[in-house]
Amino acid sequence: MLEDTHTLPGRRKTDPEIRLRRILVHSSGNARGQQAARARRLAHATEDLDKLQRGAGGRFYGTAEKIAARIGVIARTRRVEDCLRTTTTADPDGRPVLEWHFGQDVLAAVDGWYALLTNLTPAQATGEQVLLAPLSHL
């Protein structure tokens, strides 16, 4: 469990900022669920990217711009923008060639972590008390 403060801006520019206490909690159950969901997203993205890689330089993806546009669609729909790394080069004949991989550094960085926000001070409730308290008592 980690703690810090988090500032939320007001809805309008004239509204005051709200400073809250943020408690970061790790759950191994959430981590397993997030890992499984990410594995499914990566598998679907891999299929799409392999298909694009095979078609690069062909009839539908004959330019680097068309390849980049399709990569953007795949990354957004499969929700892999943060970990997808791509490079488009040209072969000796001038046709575009796509190389891609998933950046392993960002894949498991936040698995299982979630944040609790509260306006209770540490004197009013410890992090454990905030985590364990039913909502009606806060």
Side-chain angles (χ1 to χ4, degrees):
M1 188 176 303
L2 304 170
E3 288 191 39
D4 66 357
T5 58
H6 184 71
T7 303
L8 295 174
R11 287 187 174 197
R12 288 177 245 132
K13 290 182 182 179
T14 57
D15 290 345
E17 291 181 338
I18 301 171
R19 291 182 55 86
L20 297 171
R21 184 171 155 211
R22 180 171 52 183
I23 301 167
L24 299 171
V25 181
H26 186 267
S27 165
S28 56
N30 283 358
R32 284 189 297 276
Q34 290 168 348
Q35 289 165 353
R38 185 181 58 248
R40 285 190 300 273
R41 286 194 320 269
L42 293 176
H44 290 299
T46 297
E47 290 174 15
D48 295 344
L49 290 163
D50 284 344
K51 183 177 177 183
L52 177 60
Q53 192 173 34
R54 287 189 303 272
R59 178 176 163 194
F60 296 107
Y61 303 109
T63 65
E65 292 79 20
K66 288 182 180 181
I67 292 171
R70 182 65 183 145
I71 289 169
V73 170
I74 292 169
R76 278 189 307 278
T77 57
R78 300 302 183 188
R79 295 179 293 143
V80 294
E81 295 115 326
D82 55 344
C83 64
L84 180 60
R85 309 289 184 260
T86 63
T87 305
T88 305
T89 58
D91 68 5
D93 296 329
R95 291 186 304 244
V97 176
L98 172 64
E99 296 293 328
W100 66 271
H101 69 278
F102 295 118
Q104 298 299 317
D105 55 332
V106 295
L107 286 179
V110 295
D111 281 350
W113 287 95
Y114 62 94
L116 298 174
L117 297 176
T118 183
N119 59 354
L120 297 174
T121 66
Q124 293 172 312
T126 66
E128 290 83 10
Q129 289 171 326
V130 171
L131 176 63
L132 297 174
L135 291 176
S136 61
H137 293 295
L138 298 177

